[in-house]
Amino acid sequence: MKLIIAETGVPPEALGTDWGTYPQMFEAMFTRAGATFDVDTRNVMAGDVLPEPGSDHALLVTGSPMGVYEDHDWIPGLESAVRSWAEAERPVLGICFGHQLIAKAFGARVEKSDKGWGVGVHTYEVVDDTPWGEGPSRFSCAVSHQDQVLEAPQGFSRIAGSAFCPFGALAHDTLPVLTFQMHPEFDHSFAAALMDLRSDRISAERSDLGQASLRNESNRADIARWMRGFIESRV
């Protein structure tokens, strides 16, 4: 089974290479979850073209410091590819920027939220039936974002959300598309270092609360298993 990862961002250079690239974080996450995907990374920012969706392929769109509403020449092509993969009934997953890009590709509004930065571990209430089957009624995971999806795209259901981020997880009603605003691929130490790096943009109070929350466990391993199960059940 081949997992195509559309790389849409790179970790800040100031953080070094200890945690790897975003695709490497996902590969490590899926390995811990027991998956044996053949991973093929395509740097869409640099002009890499996504392959046509094969019968044993799944697509994952990573996070990025960019906004989906910004004028980058590779964004419209990626949106088109996401729709093509979904319509071909190949599994499509999106994380953070990927969540927002997929929502926008299907017609939703994405904007910088007036609630400011979401950082640390956030908890989401499950509000609809989930594509991964039975699970907890709430789950928590590290987040790092300002932009938010403001509505469910046509044909999608809101799976989970919070007061801070109502549209925290989305799933298409008939096509194999699943997206999360949170970052299950982030080790908590990476999330903490990223928050430190952005301390000039995040209030001290929010940073302190976020750093404290990262000392607790989260459901990142569960989300990884749900994503693995979602892919494997549809390939």
Side-chain angles (χ1 to χ4, degrees):
M1 186 180 303
K2 177 163 284 191
L3 176 64
I4 309 297
I5 297 182
E7 185 179 17
T8 64
V10 296
E13 186 176 353
L15 295 184
T17 59
D18 289 349
W19 292 280
T21 65
Y22 293 139
Q24 288 169 341
M25 291 182 194
F26 278 109
E27 190 166 5
M29 180 196 81
F30 280 121
T31 297
R32 290 191 299 269
T36 56
F37 302 144
D38 178 12
V39 176
D40 179 2
T41 295
R42 301 296 177 98
N43 184 345
V44 295
M45 303 175 295
D48 286 357
V49 177
L50 295 180
E52 292 298 313
S55 60
D56 64 342
H57 289 182
L59 174 65
L60 186 151
V61 184
T62 71
S64 173
M66 302 177 197
V68 299
Y69 43 74
E70 294 176 4
D71 185 21
H72 300 291
D73 57 8
W74 52 270
I75 286 181
L78 182 55
E79 290 180 4
S80 178
V82 160
R83 291 190 295 268
S84 295
W85 275 66
E87 290 161 4
E89 299 191 354
R90 296 298 87 211
V92 178
L93 296 103
I95 296 295
C96 197
F97 174 93
H99 161 78
Q100 297 160 10
L101 180 131
I102 292 168
K104 180 174 175 284
F106 282 90
R109 289 184 300 134
V110 179
E111 296 178 4
K112 196 175 297 296
S113 173
D114 59 9
K115 297 174 184 175
W117 277 94
V119 291
V121 172
H122 283 207
T123 298
Y124 297 80
E125 302 289 337
V126 174
V127 297
D128 203 345
D129 292 338
T130 62
W132 54 82
E134 291 188 10
S137 60
R138 64 175 59 184
F139 59 89
S140 62
C141 190
V143 303
S144 183
H145 67 101
Q146 293 183 89
D147 295 345
Q148 292 198 30
V149 176
L150 301 184
E151 60 195 357
Q154 185 173 1
F156 281 72
S157 293
R158 183 171 73 102
I159 298 301
S162 66
F164 180 83
C165 182
F167 296 92
L170 300 167
H172 198 282
D173 297 333
T174 58
L175 301 175
V177 183
L178 175 64
T179 69
F180 294 96
Q181 178 60 67
M182 64 285 315
H183 280 285
E185 80 280 17
F186 279 9
D187 183 274
H188 283 199
S189 63
F190 177 80
L194 187 61
M195 200 186 317
D196 274 341
L197 189 65
R198 293 171 172 167
S199 60
D200 59 332
R201 289 170 272 174
I202 306 170
S203 71
E205 180 182 11
R206 187 160 293 189
S207 289
D208 289 346
L209 290 172
Q211 294 287 8
S213 72
L214 288 167
R215 300 186 194 112
N216 301 321
E217 294 295 321
S218 71
N219 296 105
R220 60 190 292 257
D222 295 318
I223 298 170
R225 286 191 291 270
W226 298 339
M227 292 170 66
R228 172 197 170 187
F230 176 79
I231 292 172
E232 292 178 343
S233 68
R234 287 160 175 79
V235 170

